[in-house]
Amino acid sequence: MAEETLISLFHEMVAKKGDQTALRDKDLGIWRPVSWNQFNQRVKNFLFGLECLGLKEKDKVAILADPCPEWVYAELAVQTARAIVVGVYPTSPPAQIHYLLEHSGSRFIIVEDQEQVDKVLEIKDRLPGLERIIYIDPKGLRHYDDPMLIEFEKVDALGREAGLADPDRYEGLVQAVKADDVAMLIYTSGTTGHPKAAMITHRNIVAMVEAMVEVTGVDDQDSVVSYLPLCHIAEQIFSVFIQLKVGATCNFSESIETVNEN
């Protein structure tokens, strides 16, 4: 029997829960549910879209955004390609972002909005290895014409078309992910020098989540509100890893200011 990975946990839960709610995202006061099947389709689309842009195994893909469904779609898409996620705190200044992107060798970065796009554009000329800036929220970016920029939904659309052309390939990629593949780089805070990258494998994640489920007793009837940055390992445990292990529902708050209300 193949060893478990974060990706195999995800697909076991998709098969088990299908049209049941996996995620909710609150926008303009309304909770918008995403089923496990829809969740899977978005991951598949984004994976193939990244491949259309040139993503390869072991490439590094940075994510610079507040918690949102797109963060998790991108994360699982990258890991299904056997590439590596690099989380960046959304409060990071350009100099810190430059260090993390340069140190990790990230080829792609996924950012939330115009504010984060501007930070990356400020430093991109000093990052020769960076090839694409993928933005989630297009507001304010209509007149930006940098060729590195591409909208998240456009990458999704590219991937949807690619998936239709080769419908059996996705399952093969899912099966190819190994327990000892590095899934993500979690950077330390850098209090005693430059931040250092901890290489977290799928084996690490599965062992961690099994222990957490045993200690907390969380199950598929539970819900979590995600609001801490997803580049932090604690938020990954409670908003991503546990959810994929037991089928709990992850709810993304509207903003840090509305967490209690949400």
Side-chain angles (χ1 to χ4, degrees):
M1 181 178 175
E3 293 181 292
E4 285 187 319
T5 67
L6 190 62
I7 303 307
S8 71
L9 293 180
F10 173 48
H11 285 271
E12 288 168 12
M13 201 53 63
V14 170
K16 180 179 179 180
K17 297 184 79 75
D19 290 328
Q20 296 179 49
T21 298
L23 309 170
R24 294 189 190 91
D25 179 32
K26 196 169 189 183
D27 184 50
L28 300 176
I30 299 172
W31 285 108
R32 302 178 298 181
V34 177
S35 73
W36 285 94
N37 285 333
Q38 290 170 324
F39 186 0
N40 184 45
Q41 187 63 50
R42 294 300 301 269
V43 171
K44 178 180 178 181
N45 290 349
F46 200 69
L47 161 61
F48 286 146
L50 287 173
E51 287 192 334
C52 289
L53 299 180
L55 181 72
K56 306 293 184 187
E57 283 187 20
K58 298 186 179 179
D59 278 346
K60 315 302 191 305
V61 180
I63 307 178
L64 173 61
D66 285 318
C68 60
E70 288 83 2
W71 217 113
V72 188
Y73 302 155
E75 173 178 5
L76 295 178
V78 169
Q79 292 163 347
T80 305
R82 302 183 74 186
I84 300 168
V85 174
V86 180
V88 182
Y89 281 95
T91 53
S92 298
Q96 182 77 357
I97 297 167
H98 176 269
Y99 173 79
L100 296 179
L101 297 185
E102 182 179 55
H103 184 268
S104 64
S106 293
R107 288 184 62 203
F108 304 86
I109 184 167
I110 298 154
V111 303
E112 182 172 1
D113 53 18
Q114 183 183 21
E115 177 187 0
Q116 306 296 6
V117 166
D118 287 342
K119 291 180 188 178
V120 180
L121 290 178
E122 182 179 328
I123 58 175
K124 73 179 181 67
D125 290 340
R126 294 184 284 125
L127 292 166
L130 185 66
E131 297 178 18
R132 286 285 190 167
I133 304 166
I134 302 167
Y135 56 90
I136 296 168
D137 183 356
K139 185 178 180 181
L141 293 167
R142 179 180 300 177
H143 300 298
Y144 283 50
D145 60 359
D146 193 289
M148 291 178 69
L149 291 169
I150 184 170
E151 187 178 350
F152 192 100
E153 290 302 324
K154 185 172 181 180
V155 179
D156 183 284
L158 287 172
R160 192 180 311 118
E161 288 190 26
L164 292 173
D166 191 356
D168 298 325
R169 186 161 178 273
Y170 184 50
E171 183 61 30
L173 291 172
V174 169
Q175 296 298 326
V177 180
K178 306 300 182 187
D180 288 320
D181 287 347
V182 176
M184 60 179 60
L185 300 181
I186 298 287
Y187 275 86
T188 63
S189 60
T191 52
T192 59
H194 287 305
K196 299 168 183 66
M199 298 183 292
I200 309 297
T201 68
H202 289 273
R203 189 185 303 279
N204 298 148
I205 291 168
V206 172
M208 187 190 315
V209 73
E210 287 176 348
M212 290 298 295
V213 169
E214 181 179 349
V215 168
T216 62
V218 64
D219 61 26
D220 66 350
Q221 299 304 302
D222 289 314
S223 275
V224 61
V225 175
S226 178
Y227 69 96
L228 291 174
L230 278 163
C231 52
H232 195 290
I233 193 64
E235 190 68 10
Q236 283 285 330
I237 293 169
F238 286 100
S239 294
V240 182
F241 304 163
I242 284 179
Q243 181 209 18
L244 301 187
K245 176 66 176 178
V246 303
T249 303
C250 183
N251 304 276
F252 292 97
S253 62
E254 267 181 303
S255 70
I256 193 70
E257 290 81 14
T258 63
V259 169
N260 288 339
E261 177 188 342
N262 292 165

Short mmCIF file of all heavy atoms in Angstrom, two decimals, residues 123-178:
data_model
loop_
_atom_site.label_atom_id
_atom_site.label_comp_id
_atom_site.label_asym_id
_atom_site.label_seq_id
_atom_site.Cartn_x
_atom_site.Cartn_y
_atom_site.Cartn_z
N ILE A 123 10.78 44.82 -6.53
CA ILE A 123 12.01 44.04 -6.35
C ILE A 123 12.27 43.05 -7.49
O ILE A 123 13.31 42.40 -7.51
CB ILE A 123 11.95 43.25 -5.03
CG1 ILE A 123 10.73 42.32 -5.01
CG2 ILE A 123 11.92 44.21 -3.84
CD1 ILE A 123 10.64 41.40 -3.80
N LYS A 124 11.39 42.95 -8.44
CA LYS A 124 11.49 41.88 -9.44
C LYS A 124 12.76 41.96 -10.28
O LYS A 124 13.29 40.92 -10.71
CB LYS A 124 10.26 41.88 -10.36
CG LYS A 124 10.20 43.02 -11.37
CD LYS A 124 8.97 42.91 -12.24
CE LYS A 124 8.91 44.03 -13.28
NZ LYS A 124 10.00 43.94 -14.29
N ASP A 125 13.28 43.16 -10.51
CA ASP A 125 14.48 43.29 -11.34
C ASP A 125 15.71 42.71 -10.65
O ASP A 125 16.73 42.47 -11.30
CB ASP A 125 14.73 44.76 -11.69
CG ASP A 125 13.68 45.30 -12.66
OD1 ASP A 125 13.02 44.49 -13.33
OD2 ASP A 125 13.52 46.53 -12.74
N ARG A 126 15.62 42.49 -9.34
CA ARG A 126 16.73 41.88 -8.60
C ARG A 126 16.47 40.40 -8.33
O ARG A 126 17.15 39.77 -7.52
CB ARG A 126 16.95 42.64 -7.28
CG ARG A 126 17.43 44.07 -7.50
CD ARG A 126 17.72 44.77 -6.20
NE ARG A 126 16.51 45.17 -5.49
CZ ARG A 126 16.22 44.84 -4.24
NH1 ARG A 126 17.05 44.09 -3.53
NH2 ARG A 126 15.10 45.26 -3.68
N LEU A 127 15.48 39.84 -9.03
CA LEU A 127 15.13 38.42 -8.88
C LEU A 127 15.10 37.77 -10.27
O LEU A 127 14.02 37.53 -10.83
CB LEU A 127 13.77 38.28 -8.19
CG LEU A 127 13.69 38.72 -6.73
CD1 LEU A 127 12.25 38.86 -6.27
CD2 LEU A 127 14.44 37.72 -5.84
N PRO A 128 16.25 37.48 -10.84
CA PRO A 128 16.27 36.94 -12.21
C PRO A 128 15.59 35.59 -12.35
O PRO A 128 15.18 35.21 -13.45
CB PRO A 128 17.78 36.84 -12.52
CG PRO A 128 18.45 36.81 -11.18
CD PRO A 128 17.61 37.66 -10.29
N GLY A 129 15.43 34.86 -11.23
CA GLY A 129 14.79 33.55 -11.31
C GLY A 129 13.28 33.61 -11.26
O GLY A 129 12.60 32.61 -11.54
N LEU A 130 12.71 34.78 -10.91
CA LEU A 130 11.25 34.92 -10.82
C LEU A 130 10.66 35.14 -12.20
O LEU A 130 11.09 36.03 -12.92
CB LEU A 130 10.90 36.09 -9.90
CG LEU A 130 9.41 36.29 -9.61
CD1 LEU A 130 8.84 35.12 -8.81
CD2 LEU A 130 9.18 37.61 -8.85
N GLU A 131 9.67 34.31 -12.57
CA GLU A 131 9.13 34.36 -13.92
C GLU A 131 7.70 34.88 -14.01
O GLU A 131 7.34 35.50 -15.01
CB GLU A 131 9.20 32.96 -14.54
CG GLU A 131 10.62 32.44 -14.69
CD GLU A 131 10.67 31.03 -15.25
OE1 GLU A 131 9.66 30.59 -15.84
OE2 GLU A 131 11.71 30.38 -15.09
N ARG A 132 6.89 34.61 -12.99
CA ARG A 132 5.48 34.99 -13.06
C ARG A 132 4.99 35.51 -11.73
O ARG A 132 5.33 34.99 -10.65
CB ARG A 132 4.61 33.80 -13.46
CG ARG A 132 4.73 33.41 -14.93
CD ARG A 132 3.98 34.40 -15.82
NE ARG A 132 3.88 33.93 -17.18
CZ ARG A 132 3.08 34.45 -18.10
NH1 ARG A 132 2.31 35.49 -17.77
NH2 ARG A 132 3.06 33.98 -19.31
N ILE A 133 4.12 36.54 -11.79
CA ILE A 133 3.41 37.06 -10.63
C ILE A 133 1.93 36.84 -10.89
O ILE A 133 1.35 37.43 -11.81
CB ILE A 133 3.69 38.57 -10.43
CG1 ILE A 133 5.20 38.83 -10.32
CG2 ILE A 133 2.95 39.09 -9.20
CD1 ILE A 133 5.57 40.30 -10.46
N ILE A 134 1.32 35.96 -10.12
CA ILE A 134 -0.08 35.58 -10.31
C ILE A 134 -0.91 36.28 -9.24
O ILE A 134 -0.68 36.06 -8.04
CB ILE A 134 -0.25 34.06 -10.22
CG1 ILE A 134 0.63 33.36 -11.27
CG2 ILE A 134 -1.71 33.67 -10.40
CD1 ILE A 134 0.78 31.87 -11.05
N TYR A 135 -1.85 37.14 -9.63
CA TYR A 135 -2.62 37.90 -8.65
C TYR A 135 -4.05 37.38 -8.56
O TYR A 135 -4.67 37.00 -9.55
CB TYR A 135 -2.60 39.39 -8.97
CG TYR A 135 -3.08 39.77 -10.35
CD1 TYR A 135 -4.43 40.07 -10.58
CD2 TYR A 135 -2.21 39.85 -11.43
CE1 TYR A 135 -4.88 40.42 -11.84
CE2 TYR A 135 -2.66 40.20 -12.69
CZ TYR A 135 -4.00 40.48 -12.89
OH TYR A 135 -4.46 40.82 -14.14
N ILE A 136 -4.57 37.36 -7.33
CA ILE A 136 -5.91 36.82 -7.06
C ILE A 136 -6.99 37.86 -7.31
O ILE A 136 -7.96 37.61 -8.02
CB ILE A 136 -5.98 36.29 -5.61
CG1 ILE A 136 -5.00 35.12 -5.43
CG2 ILE A 136 -7.40 35.87 -5.25
CD1 ILE A 136 -4.78 34.71 -3.98
N ASP A 137 -6.84 39.06 -6.72
CA ASP A 137 -7.84 40.12 -6.83
C ASP A 137 -7.38 41.13 -7.90
O ASP A 137 -6.37 41.80 -7.73
CB ASP A 137 -7.99 40.82 -5.48
CG ASP A 137 -9.06 41.90 -5.48
OD1 ASP A 137 -9.64 42.18 -6.56
OD2 ASP A 137 -9.30 42.49 -4.41
N PRO A 138 -8.13 41.26 -9.01
CA PRO A 138 -7.70 42.15 -10.09
C PRO A 138 -8.00 43.63 -9.86
O PRO A 138 -7.59 44.46 -10.67
CB PRO A 138 -8.49 41.63 -11.29
CG PRO A 138 -9.77 41.10 -10.69
CD PRO A 138 -9.36 40.51 -9.35
N LYS A 139 -8.67 43.97 -8.75
CA LYS A 139 -9.06 45.36 -8.53
C LYS A 139 -7.83 46.27 -8.53
O LYS A 139 -6.86 46.04 -7.82
CB LYS A 139 -9.80 45.49 -7.20
CG LYS A 139 -10.34 46.89 -6.93
CD LYS A 139 -11.10 46.94 -5.62
CE LYS A 139 -11.64 48.34 -5.34
NZ LYS A 139 -12.36 48.40 -4.03
N GLY A 140 -7.88 47.33 -9.34
CA GLY A 140 -6.82 48.31 -9.40
C GLY A 140 -5.67 47.93 -10.33
O GLY A 140 -4.72 48.71 -10.49
N LEU A 141 -5.75 46.77 -10.97
CA LEU A 141 -4.63 46.28 -11.78
C LEU A 141 -4.92 46.32 -13.28
O LEU A 141 -4.11 45.85 -14.07
CB LEU A 141 -4.28 44.84 -11.36
CG LEU A 141 -3.70 44.72 -9.95
CD1 LEU A 141 -3.67 43.26 -9.51
CD2 LEU A 141 -2.29 45.30 -9.90
N ARG A 142 -6.03 46.93 -13.66
CA ARG A 142 -6.44 46.91 -15.07
C ARG A 142 -5.39 47.51 -16.00
O ARG A 142 -5.17 47.03 -17.10
CB ARG A 142 -7.77 47.66 -15.23
CG ARG A 142 -8.28 47.73 -16.67
CD ARG A 142 -9.59 48.49 -16.76
NE ARG A 142 -10.63 47.86 -15.96
CZ ARG A 142 -11.85 48.36 -15.82
NH1 ARG A 142 -12.16 49.52 -16.39
NH2 ARG A 142 -12.75 47.73 -15.11
N HIS A 143 -4.73 48.57 -15.54
CA HIS A 143 -3.80 49.28 -16.43
C HIS A 143 -2.34 48.86 -16.21
O HIS A 143 -1.44 49.45 -16.80
CB HIS A 143 -3.96 50.79 -16.22
CG HIS A 143 -5.33 51.29 -16.53
ND1 HIS A 143 -5.89 51.17 -17.79
CD2 HIS A 143 -6.28 51.85 -15.74
CE1 HIS A 143 -7.12 51.68 -17.78
NE2 HIS A 143 -7.38 52.09 -16.53
N TYR A 144 -2.11 47.85 -15.40
CA TYR A 144 -0.75 47.31 -15.24
C TYR A 144 -0.43 46.46 -16.47
O TYR A 144 -1.23 45.61 -16.87
CB TYR A 144 -0.66 46.44 -13.99
CG TYR A 144 -0.58 47.19 -12.68
CD1 TYR A 144 -1.47 48.22 -12.37
CD2 TYR A 144 0.38 46.87 -11.73
CE1 TYR A 144 -1.42 48.90 -11.16
CE2 TYR A 144 0.46 47.54 -10.52
CZ TYR A 144 -0.45 48.55 -10.24
OH TYR A 144 -0.38 49.23 -9.04
N ASP A 145 0.73 46.68 -17.07
CA ASP A 145 1.04 45.96 -18.30
C ASP A 145 2.35 45.15 -18.22
O ASP A 145 2.91 44.76 -19.24
CB ASP A 145 1.12 46.93 -19.49
CG ASP A 145 2.20 48.00 -19.30
OD1 ASP A 145 2.87 47.99 -18.24
OD2 ASP A 145 2.36 48.83 -20.21
N ASP A 146 2.83 44.88 -17.01
CA ASP A 146 4.05 44.09 -16.88
C ASP A 146 3.79 42.67 -17.40
O ASP A 146 2.82 42.02 -16.99
CB ASP A 146 4.49 44.04 -15.42
CG ASP A 146 5.90 43.51 -15.26
OD1 ASP A 146 6.08 42.30 -15.48
OD2 ASP A 146 6.80 44.29 -14.93
N PRO A 147 4.64 42.14 -18.27
CA PRO A 147 4.41 40.81 -18.85
C PRO A 147 4.50 39.68 -17.84
O PRO A 147 4.05 38.56 -18.13
CB PRO A 147 5.51 40.69 -19.91
CG PRO A 147 6.57 41.66 -19.49
CD PRO A 147 5.84 42.80 -18.84
N MET A 148 5.06 39.94 -16.66
CA MET A 148 5.13 38.89 -15.63
C MET A 148 3.77 38.66 -14.96
O MET A 148 3.56 37.61 -14.35
CB MET A 148 6.17 39.25 -14.57
CG MET A 148 7.60 39.21 -15.06
SD MET A 148 8.80 39.69 -13.78
CE MET A 148 8.66 38.31 -12.65
N LEU A 149 2.87 39.62 -15.08
CA LEU A 149 1.59 39.54 -14.37
C LEU A 149 0.58 38.68 -15.11
O LEU A 149 0.44 38.76 -16.34
CB LEU A 149 1.01 40.94 -14.19
CG LEU A 149 1.73 41.87 -13.22
CD1 LEU A 149 1.20 43.29 -13.35
CD2 LEU A 149 1.56 41.38 -11.78
N ILE A 150 -0.15 37.85 -14.35
CA ILE A 150 -1.27 37.09 -14.91
C ILE A 150 -2.28 36.85 -13.79
O ILE A 150 -1.90 36.61 -12.63
CB ILE A 150 -0.80 35.75 -15.53
CG1 ILE A 150 -1.97 35.03 -16.20
CG2 ILE A 150 -0.11 34.87 -14.49
CD1 ILE A 150 -1.54 33.83 -17.04
N GLU A 151 -3.56 36.94 -14.09
CA GLU A 151 -4.61 36.78 -13.09
C GLU A 151 -4.80 35.31 -12.72
O GLU A 151 -4.69 34.41 -13.57
CB GLU A 151 -5.92 37.37 -13.61
CG GLU A 151 -7.02 37.41 -12.56
CD GLU A 151 -8.31 38.05 -13.07
OE1 GLU A 151 -8.29 38.63 -14.17
OE2 GLU A 151 -9.32 37.95 -12.35
N PHE A 152 -5.10 35.05 -11.46
CA PHE A 152 -5.34 33.70 -10.95
C PHE A 152 -6.40 32.99 -11.78
O PHE A 152 -6.25 31.83 -12.15
CB PHE A 152 -5.78 33.79 -9.49
CG PHE A 152 -5.78 32.47 -8.75
CD1 PHE A 152 -4.73 32.14 -7.91
CD2 PHE A 152 -6.84 31.58 -8.86
CE1 PHE A 152 -4.71 30.93 -7.21
CE2 PHE A 152 -6.83 30.38 -8.18
CZ PHE A 152 -5.77 30.05 -7.35
N GLU A 153 -7.50 33.70 -12.06
CA GLU A 153 -8.60 33.07 -12.81
C GLU A 153 -8.19 32.73 -14.24
O GLU A 153 -8.72 31.78 -14.82
CB GLU A 153 -9.83 33.98 -12.80
CG GLU A 153 -10.49 34.09 -11.44
CD GLU A 153 -10.94 32.75 -10.86
OE1 GLU A 153 -11.39 31.88 -11.65
OE2 GLU A 153 -10.84 32.55 -9.64
N LYS A 154 -7.24 33.46 -14.81
CA LYS A 154 -6.77 33.12 -16.14
C LYS A 154 -5.94 31.84 -16.10
O LYS A 154 -6.04 31.00 -17.01
CB LYS A 154 -5.94 34.26 -16.74
CG LYS A 154 -5.52 34.00 -18.17
CD LYS A 154 -4.86 35.21 -18.82
CE LYS A 154 -4.49 34.91 -20.27
NZ LYS A 154 -3.84 36.06 -20.94
N VAL A 155 -5.14 31.68 -15.07
CA VAL A 155 -4.39 30.44 -14.90
C VAL A 155 -5.35 29.27 -14.73
O VAL A 155 -5.17 28.19 -15.31
CB VAL A 155 -3.43 30.53 -13.70
CG1 VAL A 155 -2.65 29.23 -13.51
CG2 VAL A 155 -2.46 31.71 -13.87
N ASP A 156 -6.41 29.49 -13.94
CA ASP A 156 -7.45 28.47 -13.76
C ASP A 156 -8.07 28.08 -15.10
O ASP A 156 -8.26 26.90 -15.40
CB ASP A 156 -8.52 29.02 -12.81
CG ASP A 156 -9.61 28.01 -12.49
OD1 ASP A 156 -10.48 27.78 -13.36
OD2 ASP A 156 -9.61 27.46 -11.38
N ALA A 157 -8.37 29.08 -15.93
CA ALA A 157 -8.99 28.81 -17.23
C ALA A 157 -8.04 28.05 -18.15
O ALA A 157 -8.46 27.13 -18.88
CB ALA A 157 -9.42 30.12 -17.88
N LEU A 158 -6.75 28.41 -18.14
CA LEU A 158 -5.77 27.67 -18.93
C LEU A 158 -5.74 26.21 -18.51
O LEU A 158 -5.70 25.30 -19.35
CB LEU A 158 -4.38 28.28 -18.74
CG LEU A 158 -4.07 29.62 -19.39
CD1 LEU A 158 -2.71 30.13 -18.90
CD2 LEU A 158 -4.06 29.49 -20.90
N GLY A 159 -5.77 25.99 -17.21
CA GLY A 159 -5.72 24.63 -16.69
C GLY A 159 -6.96 23.83 -17.00
O GLY A 159 -6.89 22.62 -17.23
N ARG A 160 -8.11 24.49 -16.98
CA ARG A 160 -9.36 23.79 -17.29
C ARG A 160 -9.31 23.23 -18.71
O ARG A 160 -9.69 22.08 -18.96
CB ARG A 160 -10.54 24.74 -17.12
CG ARG A 160 -11.90 24.05 -17.14
CD ARG A 160 -13.03 25.03 -16.96
NE ARG A 160 -12.80 25.93 -15.83
CZ ARG A 160 -12.69 27.25 -15.94
NH1 ARG A 160 -12.76 27.84 -17.12
NH2 ARG A 160 -12.49 27.99 -14.88
N GLU A 161 -8.83 24.04 -19.64
CA GLU A 161 -8.71 23.58 -21.03
C GLU A 161 -7.70 22.45 -21.15
O GLU A 161 -7.93 21.46 -21.84
CB GLU A 161 -8.29 24.74 -21.93
CG GLU A 161 -9.38 25.76 -22.16
CD GLU A 161 -9.01 26.76 -23.25
OE1 GLU A 161 -8.20 26.42 -24.12
OE2 GLU A 161 -9.53 27.88 -23.19
N ALA A 162 -6.57 22.58 -20.48
CA ALA A 162 -5.54 21.53 -20.54
C ALA A 162 -6.05 20.22 -19.95
O ALA A 162 -5.75 19.13 -20.45
CB ALA A 162 -4.29 21.99 -19.80
N GLY A 163 -6.84 20.32 -18.88
CA GLY A 163 -7.40 19.13 -18.25
C GLY A 163 -8.39 18.40 -19.16
O GLY A 163 -8.44 17.16 -19.17
N LEU A 164 -9.15 19.15 -19.92
CA LEU A 164 -10.09 18.53 -20.85
C LEU A 164 -9.36 17.77 -21.95
O LEU A 164 -9.84 16.75 -22.44
CB LEU A 164 -10.99 19.61 -21.47
CG LEU A 164 -11.98 20.28 -20.51
CD1 LEU A 164 -12.69 21.45 -21.21
CD2 LEU A 164 -13.01 19.27 -20.01
N ALA A 165 -8.18 18.26 -22.31
CA ALA A 165 -7.41 17.62 -23.38
C ALA A 165 -6.77 16.31 -22.93
O ALA A 165 -6.47 15.46 -23.76
CB ALA A 165 -6.33 18.58 -23.88
N ASP A 166 -6.55 16.15 -21.63
CA ASP A 166 -5.90 14.93 -21.11
C ASP A 166 -6.53 14.57 -19.77
O ASP A 166 -5.92 14.74 -18.71
CB ASP A 166 -4.39 15.19 -20.96
CG ASP A 166 -3.60 13.92 -20.69
OD1 ASP A 166 -4.24 12.85 -20.55
OD2 ASP A 166 -2.36 13.99 -20.61
N PRO A 167 -7.76 14.03 -19.79
CA PRO A 167 -8.52 13.85 -18.56
C PRO A 167 -7.96 12.82 -17.59
O PRO A 167 -8.30 12.83 -16.41
CB PRO A 167 -9.91 13.43 -19.06
CG PRO A 167 -9.66 12.87 -20.43
CD PRO A 167 -8.52 13.65 -20.99
N ASP A 168 -7.10 11.92 -18.04
CA ASP A 168 -6.60 10.86 -17.16
C ASP A 168 -5.29 11.23 -16.46
O ASP A 168 -4.84 10.50 -15.57
CB ASP A 168 -6.38 9.58 -17.98
CG ASP A 168 -7.68 9.05 -18.58
OD1 ASP A 168 -8.72 9.20 -17.91
OD2 ASP A 168 -7.65 8.52 -19.70
N ARG A 169 -4.69 12.31 -16.85
CA ARG A 169 -3.35 12.64 -16.35
C ARG A 169 -3.35 13.03 -14.87
O ARG A 169 -2.39 12.74 -14.14
CB ARG A 169 -2.75 13.77 -17.18
CG ARG A 169 -1.31 14.07 -16.82
CD ARG A 169 -0.58 14.84 -17.92
NE ARG A 169 0.77 15.12 -17.46
CZ ARG A 169 1.10 16.20 -16.75
NH1 ARG A 169 0.18 17.10 -16.44
NH2 ARG A 169 2.34 16.38 -16.35
N TYR A 170 -4.40 13.68 -14.42
CA TYR A 170 -4.46 14.17 -13.04
C TYR A 170 -4.29 13.04 -12.04
O TYR A 170 -3.51 13.14 -11.10
CB TYR A 170 -5.80 14.88 -12.83
CG TYR A 170 -6.00 15.55 -11.48
CD1 TYR A 170 -5.05 16.39 -10.94
CD2 TYR A 170 -7.18 15.34 -10.77
CE1 TYR A 170 -5.25 17.02 -9.72
CE2 TYR A 170 -7.41 15.97 -9.56
CZ TYR A 170 -6.44 16.80 -9.03
OH TYR A 170 -6.65 17.42 -7.83
N GLU A 171 -5.00 11.94 -12.25
CA GLU A 171 -4.92 10.81 -11.32
C GLU A 171 -3.50 10.28 -11.24
O GLU A 171 -3.01 9.91 -10.17
CB GLU A 171 -5.88 9.70 -11.74
CG GLU A 171 -5.93 8.51 -10.79
CD GLU A 171 -6.38 8.88 -9.39
OE1 GLU A 171 -7.17 9.83 -9.23
OE2 GLU A 171 -5.91 8.22 -8.44
N GLY A 172 -2.80 10.24 -12.37
CA GLY A 172 -1.42 9.78 -12.37
C GLY A 172 -0.51 10.68 -11.55
O GLY A 172 0.38 10.20 -10.83
N LEU A 173 -0.73 11.99 -11.63
CA LEU A 173 0.07 12.94 -10.85
C LEU A 173 -0.20 12.76 -9.35
O LEU A 173 0.74 12.81 -8.54
CB LEU A 173 -0.24 14.37 -11.27
CG LEU A 173 0.23 14.77 -12.67
CD1 LEU A 173 -0.32 16.15 -13.04
CD2 LEU A 173 1.75 14.78 -12.76
N VAL A 174 -1.46 12.56 -8.99
CA VAL A 174 -1.82 12.35 -7.59
C VAL A 174 -1.08 11.13 -7.03
O VAL A 174 -0.52 11.17 -5.93
CB VAL A 174 -3.35 12.17 -7.46
CG1 VAL A 174 -3.72 11.69 -6.06
CG2 VAL A 174 -4.06 13.47 -7.78
N GLN A 175 -1.07 10.05 -7.80
CA GLN A 175 -0.44 8.81 -7.34
C GLN A 175 1.08 8.93 -7.26
O GLN A 175 1.74 8.19 -6.52
CB GLN A 175 -0.82 7.67 -8.29
CG GLN A 175 -2.30 7.34 -8.32
CD GLN A 175 -2.83 6.87 -6.98
OE1 GLN A 175 -2.13 6.20 -6.22
NE2 GLN A 175 -4.07 7.21 -6.67
N ALA A 176 1.66 9.85 -8.04
CA ALA A 176 3.12 9.97 -8.11
C ALA A 176 3.73 10.70 -6.92
O ALA A 176 4.94 10.62 -6.69
CB ALA A 176 3.51 10.67 -9.40
N VAL A 177 2.92 11.42 -6.14
CA VAL A 177 3.45 12.17 -4.99
C VAL A 177 3.94 11.19 -3.93
O VAL A 177 3.24 10.24 -3.58
CB VAL A 177 2.38 13.11 -4.40
CG1 VAL A 177 2.92 13.88 -3.20
CG2 VAL A 177 1.88 14.08 -5.47
N LYS A 178 5.14 11.41 -3.42
CA LYS A 178 5.76 10.51 -2.46
C LYS A 178 5.79 11.11 -1.05
O LYS A 178 5.85 12.32 -0.89
CB LYS A 178 7.19 10.18 -2.88
CG LYS A 178 7.33 9.63 -4.30
CD LYS A 178 6.55 8.35 -4.49
CE LYS A 178 6.75 7.79 -5.90
NZ LYS A 178 5.87 6.62 -6.15
#
